[in-house]
Amino acid sequence: MQNIIEYILFRLFSLLVRLFCWKRLSSIGKYFGRIIFYLFASRRKTAISNLRFAFPQKSDSEIYKLAKKSFESLFISFLEILWFSGLKQSDYEKVIEIENPKEFERIINLKSGAILLSSHFGNWELLAMMLKKILKRDILIVVQKQRNNLIDEFVNNNRKKFGATITYLDSAPRDVLNSLQNNNFVAMIADQSARKEEIQVPLFGRTAPTHRGPAIFSLRVDVPLIFLLLKRIENGKYILKTEEVSRENLIGTNDEKIFELTLRHVQMLEKYIIETPDQWLWGHKRWKHSQNN
């Protein structure tokens, strides 16, 4: 019964959001993001603590403002996801701009499959929804199952709206391998805290357990590892950033090679976070299993 009630409220809120025009969502999202920032003390403290560690040169005032902006960014993304449930295929061109068209065209024309690695940055759900449409390639998206099955189905229907396929983490290894071997693209996110048993890779100078899956599949199947981010800019628009993670001098799948490739994509993530820190998910306990704690 709880799931049903949650889903009804979720859907009603979704319908309410769609009453507003797209460009209004940014200001509305900022307003509600500030409310969430003040109400959820534990998440606020986590965000501030993480930012203090990552940017020790910034003042307490700057850290506080960044933390608040990260909550605003998160809620803007949430509203946009609900609004985009009614999106048409042609609408993406009005919202998403490709930063480097030549590089993007090269990726589209790859003869092999590829790992598309993103982050909880900007609007990652909008990126998931649009990947199939933009890339014009078969896409498999690896997702985490939500607690509420009804909301999980709603979110996954959005992700599959333009033809992508979904697989859950528990069945991902087999599905990912099959997809890559058929020269398809596989999209995943690997920037949240992993189990303590995973490899410890430094992020902002402090080690954190990091999922090794992207590196393993890239090396084992010999496919490119490509980093994608959807960065929010003005007027409700986004820039799609793409950059291939170098696999130079990395042959084989021993622990050393897996660590090195994982380190390279984490360093790439760190670079983008430094450029636009308010668009990353700082309220997550990314370093809770760090060896440096």
Side-chain angles (χ1 to χ4, degrees):
M1 180 60 70
Q2 179 184 347
N3 282 1
I4 294 174
I5 294 173
E6 288 176 350
Y7 178 70
I8 291 173
L9 293 175
F10 179 79
R11 293 293 284 135
L12 287 173
F13 187 65
S14 175
L15 293 173
L16 177 63
V17 168
R18 290 179 61 187
L19 294 176
F20 296 94
C21 69
W22 170 255
K23 291 184 179 181
R24 284 289 309 279
L25 296 182
S26 181
S27 58
I28 297 170
K30 286 180 181 179
Y31 176 77
F32 282 103
R34 292 185 202 113
I35 293 175
I36 299 299
F37 177 74
Y38 292 122
L39 286 180
F40 288 82
S42 62
R43 291 293 180 180
R44 182 177 70 245
K45 290 177 181 177
T46 296
I48 290 173
S49 175
N50 287 341
L51 280 160
R52 277 197 182 122
F53 178 83
F55 301 101
Q57 74 281 10
K58 292 186 181 296
S59 67
D60 287 346
S61 174
E62 289 173 312
I63 292 296
Y64 191 85
K65 288 178 182 177
L66 272 179
K68 184 164 63 173
K69 284 184 177 181
S70 72
F71 276 71
E72 293 172 0
S73 175
L74 176 62
F75 213 86
I76 291 169
S77 297
F78 174 63
L79 295 184
E80 289 175 345
I81 292 163
L82 298 181
W83 194 94
F84 265 103
S85 61
L87 186 72
K88 299 177 183 177
Q89 288 197 37
S90 58
D91 289 341
Y92 87 91
E93 294 176 349
K94 304 173 185 176
V95 176
I96 298 175
E97 174 185 334
I98 309 298
E99 182 180 56
N100 189 338
K102 288 185 178 180
E103 172 64 9
F104 200 73
E105 191 68 24
R106 184 189 70 81
I107 293 169
I108 291 174
N109 293 323
L110 285 171
K111 301 300 182 183
S112 68
I115 297 289
L116 308 178
L117 187 61
S118 192
S119 165
H120 291 88
F121 182 100
N123 196 330
W124 58 93
E125 287 291 347
L126 176 58
L127 177 60
M129 182 190 299
M130 290 298 189
L131 275 175
K132 167 75 174 182
K133 170 64 179 175
I134 298 173
L135 287 167
K136 303 178 179 65
R137 296 282 296 258
D138 287 335
I139 303 288
L140 175 70
I141 303 175
V142 181
V143 302
Q144 177 74 52
K145 189 174 181 60
Q146 303 295 314
R147 177 188 59 80
N148 187 316
N149 289 333
L150 295 171
I151 294 178
D152 184 71
E153 182 180 3
F154 174 84
V155 173
N156 281 334
N157 284 338
N158 272 352
R159 292 164 173 161
K160 297 186 293 183
K161 190 175 182 67
F162 301 135
T165 304
I166 298 296
T167 186
Y168 290 113
L169 280 173
D170 54 359
S171 57
R174 179 186 65 253
D175 293 340
V176 169
L177 189 60
N178 289 339
S179 190
L180 292 174
Q181 289 174 338
N182 287 317
N183 296 328
N184 298 326
F185 287 175
V186 176
M188 59 182 67
I189 288 179
D191 66 335
Q192 289 198 305
S193 182
R195 295 172 301 177
K196 286 187 281 188
E197 295 77 19
E198 288 281 2
I199 51 177
Q200 295 267 347
V201 176
L203 175 64
F204 288 100
R206 178 167 33 164
T207 61
T210 304
H211 297 283
R212 68 186 74 201
I216 289 176
F217 283 114
S218 175
L219 294 172
R220 180 173 296 172
V221 191
D222 190 22
V223 295
L225 180 59
I226 299 168
F227 206 82
L228 293 90
L229 287 179
L230 208 54
K231 177 182 174 180
R232 184 179 297 111
I233 52 176
E234 298 177 350
N235 300 321
K237 294 187 177 182
Y238 287 88
I239 290 180
L240 178 58
K241 293 178 170 287
T242 57
E243 185 175 355
E244 184 169 347
V245 183
S246 172
R247 295 185 298 144
E248 186 178 1
N249 300 324
L250 298 181
I251 299 175
T253 54
N254 61 38
D255 289 345
E256 180 184 353
K257 301 297 191 300
I258 292 169
F259 176 87
E260 177 59 29
L261 186 55
T262 303
L263 175 62
R264 290 180 189 182
H265 77 66
V266 169
Q267 289 175 334
M268 191 172 288
L269 169 64
E270 183 176 313
K271 177 188 70 173
Y272 285 112
I273 294 173
I274 290 172
E275 289 177 3
T276 318
D278 57 292
Q279 292 194 29
W280 196 52
L281 193 65
W282 290 101
H284 171 67
K285 294 182 178 180
R286 182 64 183 92
W287 290 277
K288 63 182 177 181
H289 296 313
S290 172
Q291 291 177 339
N292 298 138
N293 289 342

Short mmCIF file of all heavy atoms in Angstrom, two decimals, residues 153-198:
data_model
loop_
_atom_site.label_atom_id
_atom_site.label_comp_id
_atom_site.label_asym_id
_atom_site.label_seq_id
_atom_site.Cartn_x
_atom_site.Cartn_y
_atom_site.Cartn_z
N GLU A 153 9.39 1.42 -12.44
CA GLU A 153 8.87 1.19 -13.79
C GLU A 153 8.68 2.51 -14.54
O GLU A 153 9.00 2.61 -15.73
CB GLU A 153 7.54 0.45 -13.70
CG GLU A 153 6.94 0.11 -15.06
CD GLU A 153 5.63 -0.63 -14.96
OE1 GLU A 153 5.15 -0.85 -13.82
OE2 GLU A 153 5.07 -1.00 -16.00
N PHE A 154 8.19 3.54 -13.84
CA PHE A 154 7.98 4.85 -14.47
C PHE A 154 9.31 5.43 -14.95
O PHE A 154 9.42 5.91 -16.08
CB PHE A 154 7.32 5.80 -13.46
CG PHE A 154 7.19 7.22 -13.95
CD1 PHE A 154 6.12 7.61 -14.74
CD2 PHE A 154 8.14 8.18 -13.62
CE1 PHE A 154 6.00 8.91 -15.20
CE2 PHE A 154 8.03 9.48 -14.07
CZ PHE A 154 6.96 9.85 -14.86
N VAL A 155 10.32 5.38 -14.08
CA VAL A 155 11.63 5.94 -14.42
C VAL A 155 12.25 5.17 -15.59
O VAL A 155 12.81 5.76 -16.52
CB VAL A 155 12.56 5.92 -13.19
CG1 VAL A 155 13.98 6.32 -13.58
CG2 VAL A 155 12.03 6.85 -12.11
N ASN A 156 12.15 3.84 -15.55
CA ASN A 156 12.72 3.04 -16.63
C ASN A 156 11.99 3.23 -17.95
O ASN A 156 12.61 3.18 -19.02
CB ASN A 156 12.73 1.56 -16.25
CG ASN A 156 13.87 1.21 -15.31
OD1 ASN A 156 14.90 1.88 -15.29
ND2 ASN A 156 13.68 0.18 -14.52
N ASN A 157 10.69 3.47 -17.90
CA ASN A 157 9.95 3.77 -19.13
C ASN A 157 10.46 5.07 -19.76
O ASN A 157 10.51 5.20 -21.00
CB ASN A 157 8.46 3.85 -18.85
CG ASN A 157 7.83 2.49 -18.68
OD1 ASN A 157 8.36 1.48 -19.14
ND2 ASN A 157 6.69 2.44 -18.00
N ASN A 158 10.81 6.04 -18.93
CA ASN A 158 11.42 7.27 -19.44
C ASN A 158 12.76 6.98 -20.11
O ASN A 158 13.06 7.48 -21.19
CB ASN A 158 11.63 8.28 -18.31
CG ASN A 158 10.42 9.16 -18.08
OD1 ASN A 158 9.46 9.14 -18.86
ND2 ASN A 158 10.45 9.93 -17.02
N ARG A 159 13.57 6.16 -19.45
CA ARG A 159 14.89 5.84 -19.99
C ARG A 159 14.77 5.10 -21.33
O ARG A 159 15.63 5.23 -22.19
CB ARG A 159 15.66 4.98 -18.99
CG ARG A 159 16.06 5.71 -17.71
CD ARG A 159 16.45 4.73 -16.61
NE ARG A 159 16.98 5.40 -15.44
CZ ARG A 159 17.06 4.84 -14.24
NH1 ARG A 159 16.63 3.60 -14.06
NH2 ARG A 159 17.55 5.51 -13.22
N LYS A 160 13.71 4.30 -21.48
CA LYS A 160 13.52 3.50 -22.69
C LYS A 160 12.68 4.22 -23.74
O LYS A 160 12.39 3.65 -24.79
CB LYS A 160 12.85 2.18 -22.33
CG LYS A 160 13.66 1.29 -21.43
CD LYS A 160 13.02 -0.07 -21.21
CE LYS A 160 11.74 0.02 -20.44
NZ LYS A 160 11.15 -1.31 -20.17
N LYS A 161 12.31 5.47 -23.46
CA LYS A 161 11.35 6.19 -24.29
C LYS A 161 11.72 6.21 -25.77
O LYS A 161 10.86 6.11 -26.64
CB LYS A 161 11.20 7.62 -23.76
CG LYS A 161 10.06 8.41 -24.37
CD LYS A 161 9.95 9.76 -23.70
CE LYS A 161 8.79 10.55 -24.26
NZ LYS A 161 7.49 9.96 -23.93
N PHE A 162 13.02 6.36 -26.07
CA PHE A 162 13.45 6.47 -27.46
C PHE A 162 14.23 5.25 -27.94
O PHE A 162 15.04 5.34 -28.86
CB PHE A 162 14.27 7.75 -27.65
CG PHE A 162 13.50 8.99 -27.29
CD1 PHE A 162 14.08 9.98 -26.53
CD2 PHE A 162 12.18 9.15 -27.70
CE1 PHE A 162 13.37 11.13 -26.20
CE2 PHE A 162 11.45 10.28 -27.36
CZ PHE A 162 12.05 11.28 -26.61
N GLY A 163 14.03 4.10 -27.26
CA GLY A 163 14.56 2.86 -27.81
C GLY A 163 15.71 2.21 -27.07
O GLY A 163 16.18 1.15 -27.50
N ALA A 164 16.19 2.79 -25.98
CA ALA A 164 17.27 2.16 -25.21
C ALA A 164 16.74 0.91 -24.50
O ALA A 164 15.55 0.76 -24.27
CB ALA A 164 17.84 3.14 -24.20
N THR A 165 17.67 0.03 -24.15
CA THR A 165 17.34 -1.18 -23.40
C THR A 165 17.90 -1.04 -21.99
O THR A 165 18.94 -0.41 -21.79
CB THR A 165 17.96 -2.42 -24.07
OG1 THR A 165 17.50 -2.48 -25.43
CG2 THR A 165 17.55 -3.70 -23.37
N ILE A 166 17.20 -1.63 -21.02
CA ILE A 166 17.59 -1.51 -19.60
C ILE A 166 18.01 -2.87 -19.06
O ILE A 166 17.43 -3.90 -19.39
CB ILE A 166 16.40 -0.99 -18.76
CG1 ILE A 166 15.97 0.41 -19.23
CG2 ILE A 166 16.75 -0.98 -17.28
CD1 ILE A 166 17.00 1.47 -19.03
N THR A 167 19.05 -2.86 -18.22
CA THR A 167 19.40 -4.05 -17.46
C THR A 167 19.74 -3.63 -16.04
O THR A 167 20.31 -2.55 -15.81
CB THR A 167 20.59 -4.81 -18.08
OG1 THR A 167 20.80 -6.03 -17.36
CG2 THR A 167 21.88 -4.00 -18.03
N TYR A 168 19.38 -4.47 -15.07
CA TYR A 168 19.69 -4.18 -13.67
C TYR A 168 21.09 -4.70 -13.32
O TYR A 168 21.62 -5.60 -13.99
CB TYR A 168 18.66 -4.83 -12.74
CG TYR A 168 17.29 -4.18 -12.81
CD1 TYR A 168 16.20 -4.88 -13.32
CD2 TYR A 168 17.10 -2.88 -12.36
CE1 TYR A 168 14.95 -4.29 -13.38
CE2 TYR A 168 15.86 -2.27 -12.41
CZ TYR A 168 14.78 -2.98 -12.92
OH TYR A 168 13.54 -2.40 -12.99
N LEU A 169 21.64 -4.15 -12.27
CA LEU A 169 23.01 -4.49 -11.88
C LEU A 169 23.22 -5.98 -11.66
O LEU A 169 24.27 -6.52 -12.00
CB LEU A 169 23.38 -3.73 -10.60
CG LEU A 169 23.80 -2.27 -10.75
CD1 LEU A 169 23.97 -1.63 -9.38
CD2 LEU A 169 25.08 -2.16 -11.56
N ASP A 170 22.20 -6.69 -11.12
CA ASP A 170 22.39 -8.10 -10.80
C ASP A 170 22.56 -8.97 -12.04
O ASP A 170 23.18 -10.02 -12.00
CB ASP A 170 21.25 -8.63 -9.93
CG ASP A 170 19.87 -8.37 -10.55
OD1 ASP A 170 19.81 -7.78 -11.64
OD2 ASP A 170 18.87 -8.78 -9.93
N SER A 171 21.99 -8.54 -13.17
CA SER A 171 22.15 -9.31 -14.40
C SER A 171 23.05 -8.60 -15.41
O SER A 171 23.19 -9.05 -16.54
CB SER A 171 20.77 -9.56 -15.04
OG SER A 171 20.09 -8.34 -15.29
N ALA A 172 23.68 -7.51 -14.99
CA ALA A 172 24.46 -6.67 -15.90
C ALA A 172 25.65 -7.37 -16.55
O ALA A 172 25.86 -7.21 -17.76
CB ALA A 172 24.92 -5.41 -15.18
N PRO A 173 26.47 -8.14 -15.82
CA PRO A 173 27.68 -8.69 -16.47
C PRO A 173 27.39 -9.46 -17.75
O PRO A 173 28.05 -9.25 -18.77
CB PRO A 173 28.25 -9.60 -15.37
CG PRO A 173 27.81 -8.97 -14.09
CD PRO A 173 26.43 -8.44 -14.38
N ARG A 174 26.42 -10.35 -17.71
CA ARG A 174 26.09 -11.13 -18.91
C ARG A 174 25.55 -10.24 -20.02
O ARG A 174 25.96 -10.34 -21.18
CB ARG A 174 25.06 -12.21 -18.56
CG ARG A 174 24.63 -13.08 -19.74
CD ARG A 174 23.52 -14.04 -19.37
NE ARG A 174 22.28 -13.33 -19.03
CZ ARG A 174 21.80 -13.22 -17.79
NH1 ARG A 174 22.44 -13.75 -16.78
NH2 ARG A 174 20.68 -12.57 -17.57
N ASP A 175 24.61 -9.35 -19.67
CA ASP A 175 23.99 -8.48 -20.67
C ASP A 175 24.99 -7.51 -21.28
O ASP A 175 24.97 -7.24 -22.49
CB ASP A 175 22.82 -7.71 -20.04
CG ASP A 175 21.68 -8.62 -19.63
OD1 ASP A 175 21.60 -9.74 -20.16
OD2 ASP A 175 20.86 -8.20 -18.79
N VAL A 176 25.86 -6.96 -20.44
CA VAL A 176 26.87 -6.01 -20.92
C VAL A 176 27.82 -6.70 -21.89
O VAL A 176 28.13 -6.17 -22.97
CB VAL A 176 27.66 -5.39 -19.75
CG1 VAL A 176 28.88 -4.62 -20.25
CG2 VAL A 176 26.75 -4.48 -18.93
N LEU A 177 28.29 -7.88 -21.53
CA LEU A 177 29.22 -8.61 -22.39
C LEU A 177 28.58 -8.92 -23.74
O LEU A 177 29.19 -8.72 -24.80
CB LEU A 177 29.64 -9.90 -21.70
CG LEU A 177 30.77 -10.69 -22.36
CD1 LEU A 177 32.03 -9.85 -22.47
CD2 LEU A 177 31.05 -11.98 -21.59
N ASN A 178 27.33 -9.40 -23.72
CA ASN A 178 26.64 -9.72 -24.98
C ASN A 178 26.46 -8.47 -25.83
O ASN A 178 26.64 -8.51 -27.06
CB ASN A 178 25.27 -10.33 -24.68
CG ASN A 178 25.37 -11.73 -24.13
OD1 ASN A 178 26.38 -12.40 -24.31
ND2 ASN A 178 24.33 -12.18 -23.44
N SER A 179 26.11 -7.37 -25.21
CA SER A 179 25.88 -6.13 -25.95
C SER A 179 27.16 -5.63 -26.60
O SER A 179 27.17 -5.25 -27.78
CB SER A 179 25.30 -5.07 -25.00
OG SER A 179 24.87 -3.94 -25.72
N LEU A 180 28.25 -5.62 -25.86
CA LEU A 180 29.53 -5.15 -26.41
C LEU A 180 30.03 -6.05 -27.53
O LEU A 180 30.57 -5.57 -28.53
CB LEU A 180 30.58 -5.07 -25.29
CG LEU A 180 30.35 -4.01 -24.22
CD1 LEU A 180 31.39 -4.15 -23.11
CD2 LEU A 180 30.40 -2.61 -24.81
N GLN A 181 29.85 -7.35 -27.37
CA GLN A 181 30.29 -8.29 -28.40
C GLN A 181 29.48 -8.15 -29.68
O GLN A 181 29.95 -8.53 -30.75
CB GLN A 181 30.22 -9.72 -27.87
CG GLN A 181 31.28 -10.02 -26.82
CD GLN A 181 31.13 -11.39 -26.19
OE1 GLN A 181 30.05 -11.98 -26.21
NE2 GLN A 181 32.21 -11.91 -25.62
N ASN A 182 28.27 -7.57 -29.57
CA ASN A 182 27.45 -7.29 -30.74
C ASN A 182 27.65 -5.86 -31.25
O ASN A 182 26.83 -5.35 -32.02
CB ASN A 182 25.98 -7.52 -30.41
CG ASN A 182 25.63 -8.99 -30.30
OD1 ASN A 182 26.07 -9.79 -31.12
ND2 ASN A 182 24.86 -9.35 -29.29
N ASN A 183 28.74 -5.22 -30.79
CA ASN A 183 29.12 -3.88 -31.24
C ASN A 183 28.10 -2.80 -30.87
O ASN A 183 27.93 -1.82 -31.59
CB ASN A 183 29.38 -3.86 -32.75
CG ASN A 183 30.54 -4.73 -33.14
OD1 ASN A 183 31.51 -4.88 -32.39
ND2 ASN A 183 30.46 -5.34 -34.32
N ASN A 184 27.43 -2.99 -29.74
CA ASN A 184 26.51 -1.99 -29.24
C ASN A 184 27.17 -1.16 -28.14
O ASN A 184 28.24 -1.51 -27.64
CB ASN A 184 25.24 -2.65 -28.71
CG ASN A 184 24.49 -3.41 -29.79
OD1 ASN A 184 24.49 -2.99 -30.95
ND2 ASN A 184 23.86 -4.51 -29.42
N PHE A 185 26.53 -0.08 -27.76
CA PHE A 185 27.04 0.78 -26.70
C PHE A 185 26.37 0.42 -25.37
O PHE A 185 25.18 0.10 -25.33
CB PHE A 185 26.76 2.25 -27.01
CG PHE A 185 27.63 2.83 -28.10
CD1 PHE A 185 27.42 4.12 -28.56
CD2 PHE A 185 28.65 2.10 -28.67
CE1 PHE A 185 28.21 4.67 -29.55
CE2 PHE A 185 29.46 2.62 -29.65
CZ PHE A 185 29.23 3.92 -30.10
N VAL A 186 27.14 0.53 -24.30
CA VAL A 186 26.63 0.27 -22.95
C VAL A 186 26.88 1.50 -22.09
O VAL A 186 28.01 1.99 -22.00
CB VAL A 186 27.32 -0.95 -22.31
CG1 VAL A 186 26.84 -1.12 -20.87
CG2 VAL A 186 27.04 -2.21 -23.12
N ALA A 187 25.80 2.02 -21.47
CA ALA A 187 25.91 3.22 -20.64
C ALA A 187 25.80 2.84 -19.17
O ALA A 187 24.95 2.02 -18.79
CB ALA A 187 24.81 4.22 -21.02
N MET A 188 26.66 3.45 -18.36
CA MET A 188 26.62 3.18 -16.92
C MET A 188 27.17 4.36 -16.15
O MET A 188 27.83 5.25 -16.71
CB MET A 188 27.40 1.91 -16.58
CG MET A 188 28.86 1.93 -16.99
SD MET A 188 29.72 0.36 -16.59
CE MET A 188 28.93 -0.80 -17.71
N ILE A 189 26.87 4.38 -14.84
CA ILE A 189 27.39 5.39 -13.93
C ILE A 189 28.17 4.68 -12.84
O ILE A 189 27.71 3.66 -12.31
CB ILE A 189 26.25 6.24 -13.32
CG1 ILE A 189 25.67 7.17 -14.38
CG2 ILE A 189 26.74 7.04 -12.12
CD1 ILE A 189 24.52 8.03 -13.88
N ALA A 190 29.34 5.20 -12.49
CA ALA A 190 30.19 4.50 -11.52
C ALA A 190 30.83 5.46 -10.52
O ALA A 190 31.93 5.22 -10.04
CB ALA A 190 31.27 3.71 -12.24
N ASP A 191 30.13 6.57 -10.21
CA ASP A 191 30.76 7.57 -9.33
C ASP A 191 30.24 7.55 -7.90
O ASP A 191 30.68 8.35 -7.07
CB ASP A 191 30.59 8.97 -9.92
CG ASP A 191 29.14 9.42 -9.94
OD1 ASP A 191 28.24 8.56 -9.97
OD2 ASP A 191 28.89 10.65 -9.94
N GLN A 192 29.31 6.64 -7.57
CA GLN A 192 28.84 6.55 -6.20
C GLN A 192 29.66 5.54 -5.42
O GLN A 192 30.42 4.75 -6.00
CB GLN A 192 27.35 6.20 -6.17
CG GLN A 192 26.46 7.34 -6.64
CD GLN A 192 25.03 7.17 -6.20
OE1 GLN A 192 24.41 6.15 -6.47
NE2 GLN A 192 24.48 8.16 -5.54
N SER A 193 29.49 5.55 -4.10
CA SER A 193 30.29 4.69 -3.24
C SER A 193 30.05 3.22 -3.57
O SER A 193 28.91 2.77 -3.67
CB SER A 193 29.95 4.96 -1.78
OG SER A 193 30.75 4.16 -0.93
N ALA A 194 31.13 2.49 -3.74
CA ALA A 194 31.05 1.05 -3.99
C ALA A 194 31.30 0.29 -2.69
O ALA A 194 31.56 0.88 -1.64
CB ALA A 194 32.08 0.67 -5.05
N ARG A 195 31.23 -1.03 -2.75
CA ARG A 195 31.51 -1.85 -1.58
C ARG A 195 32.98 -1.69 -1.15
O ARG A 195 33.85 -1.40 -1.97
CB ARG A 195 31.23 -3.32 -1.88
CG ARG A 195 29.76 -3.63 -2.17
CD ARG A 195 29.61 -5.05 -2.63
NE ARG A 195 30.39 -5.32 -3.83
CZ ARG A 195 30.49 -6.52 -4.41
NH1 ARG A 195 29.87 -7.55 -3.90
NH2 ARG A 195 31.23 -6.66 -5.50
N LYS A 196 33.23 -1.94 0.11
CA LYS A 196 34.59 -1.79 0.63
C LYS A 196 35.58 -2.71 -0.09
O LYS A 196 36.76 -2.42 -0.16
CB LYS A 196 34.60 -2.10 2.14
CG LYS A 196 33.99 -1.02 3.00
CD LYS A 196 34.18 -1.29 4.47
CE LYS A 196 33.19 -2.32 4.98
NZ LYS A 196 33.24 -2.45 6.46
N GLU A 197 35.05 -3.80 -0.66
CA GLU A 197 35.92 -4.77 -1.32
C GLU A 197 36.40 -4.28 -2.69
O GLU A 197 37.33 -4.85 -3.28
CB GLU A 197 35.19 -6.10 -1.50
CG GLU A 197 34.83 -6.81 -0.19
CD GLU A 197 33.62 -6.19 0.49
OE1 GLU A 197 32.85 -5.47 -0.20
OE2 GLU A 197 33.47 -6.39 1.71
N GLU A 198 35.75 -3.24 -3.24
CA GLU A 198 36.16 -2.73 -4.55
C GLU A 198 37.50 -2.01 -4.45
O GLU A 198 38.01 -1.76 -3.35
CB GLU A 198 35.08 -1.79 -5.10
CG GLU A 198 33.80 -2.50 -5.54
CD GLU A 198 33.92 -3.17 -6.89
OE1 GLU A 198 35.02 -3.11 -7.50
OE2 GLU A 198 32.91 -3.75 -7.34
#
